[in-house]
């Protein structure tokens, strides 16, 4: 990759995504479930760039959305409504209305109150809402507590008994059609036995529902497949798919999955420039122009991202790579070994394609960075760098 060329053309900090890698990941996942009907609904929250969504739609992907904004994005990018899921623990009335009037494939319900709300809105609109219920299987995903979602102590989904009650209620309703069953126990899961265990628990409910004549057609296994950031082991897609399918033998059901990180995480890099080096007594800092507002994961989760200096591979010493923001929590890496840098050197932060740009902000009045796609070795700007005027526009309008 010609990082210097890209930095010269687009400036830094910069997100760079390799679309060919994304296509490979997509086809590997589809392949793992071949022999079964499957629908891959990309979790838009991981990276919601319109060009990226359009690219995934062109491959045949559906989309998992958690806000009306994400639904609108996906539709603009060419998503087919019948391949879109509306998930999330708290949906507003206008969002539910929007999903129903746009004939979104299914709405994932996360509480009894939400079931009632969706039923009422569907009735008002004289529609039948296709629904799925998110079951919380109370399984530990063994991941960072902030991104673990499948335990009773988490706010997500409903327990098995509540789910049963909800399915029976939905079946009786004229305005609800239960078609799916859903679970998602967390993110960055590298020990997939927890996902397989969850699928076993949820498939038992599937069998029980069948016995009371509730015939579910879609088994939504959520997202969560972990990727390699550091020394994790690559998840075997074969084991993942087979483990889940084993629990579904005898069921004529379509697999739906909602991967985010798996499709885009390793395909993205964050490029930032060294401003200068500095020492505080024995402590070495490499100060770069990218910061926690651009890539929050290290600060928020203490997440590890591999880092290298372009064109330099000698004389490594320990340092922290930090941004210009006025917080000690503003770092991209801590206590890593890097070559001595000079002002203008480029630093690549790896595996930044998921939850990088999509979690960025304007903190410290820093304009959001540009995004570039690499497609068949050619670079293409897919989001312009924000200007200062962009950042203040909505406030300026309100100045007296
Ligand atoms: N489906 C549902 C219902 C979800 O809540 C999520 C992610 C996904 C699918 C996609 O999960 P994935 O395949 O990407 O693991 N900001 C955090 C990750 C938060 C994940 C939230 N839910 C991070 O940077 O690690």
């Amino acid at each position: 990759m010609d990082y210097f060329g890209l930095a010269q053309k687009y400036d830094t900090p910069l997100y760079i995504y390799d679309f060919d890698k994304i296509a490979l990941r997509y086809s590997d996942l589809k392949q793992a479930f071949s022999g079964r009907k499957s629908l891959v609904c990309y979790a838009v929250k991981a990276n919601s760039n319109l060009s990226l969504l359009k690219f995934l739609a062109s491959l045949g992907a559906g989309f998992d959305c958690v806000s009306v904004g994400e639904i609108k994005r996906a539709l603009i990018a060419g998503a087919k409504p019948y391949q879109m899921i509306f998930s999330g623990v708290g949906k507003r009335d206008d969002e539910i209305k929007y999903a129903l009037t746009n004939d979104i494939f299914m709405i994932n319900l996360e509480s009894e109150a939400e079931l009632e709300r969706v039923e009422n809105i569907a009735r008002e609109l004289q529609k039948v809402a296709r629904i799925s219920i998110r079951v919380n299987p109370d399984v530990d995903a063994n991941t960072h507590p902030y991104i673990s979602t499948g335990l009773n102590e988490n706010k997500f989904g409903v327990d098995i008994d509540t789910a049963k009650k909800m399915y029976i209620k939905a079946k009786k309703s004229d305005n609800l059609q239960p078609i799916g069953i859903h679970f998602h126990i967390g993110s960055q899961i590298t020990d997939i036995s927890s996902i397989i265990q969850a699928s076993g628990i949820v498939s038992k409910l599937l069998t029980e529902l069948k016995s009371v004549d509730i015939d579910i057609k879609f088994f939504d296994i959520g997202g969560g497949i972990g990727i390699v950031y550091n020394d994790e082991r690559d998840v075997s897609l074969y084991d993942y798919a087979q483990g889940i399918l084993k629990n579904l033998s005898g069921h004529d059901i379509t697999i739906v999955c909602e991967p985010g990180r798996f499709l885009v995480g390793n395909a993205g890099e964050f490029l930032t420039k060294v401003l200068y080096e500095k020492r505080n007594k024995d402590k070495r800092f490499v100060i770069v122009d990218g910061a926690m507002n651009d890539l929050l994961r290290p600060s928020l989760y203490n997440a590890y991202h591999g880092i290298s200096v372009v064109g330099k591979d000698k004389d490594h010493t320990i340092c922290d790579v930090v941004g210009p923001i006025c917080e000690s929590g503003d770092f991209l890496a801590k206590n890593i070994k890097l070559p001595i840098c000079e002002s203008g050197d480029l630093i690549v932060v790896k595996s930044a394609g998921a939850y990088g740009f999509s979690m960025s902000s304007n903190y410290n009045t820093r304009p959001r960075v540009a995004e570039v796609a690499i497609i068949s070795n050619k670079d293409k700007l897919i989001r312009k760098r924000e200007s200062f005027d962009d950042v203040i526009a909505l406030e300026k309008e309100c100045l007296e």
Side-chain angles (χ1 to χ4, degrees), residues 43 45 64 134 147 184 187-188 223-224 258-261 297 301 355 359:
K45 62 170 87 71
D64 173 49
R134 178 167 177 176
I147 52 175
H184 169 84
S187 194
Q188 182 52 14
E258 306 170 348
R261 188 188 321 263
R297 303 193 70 255
Y301 312 115
Y355 307 107
M359 288 174 71

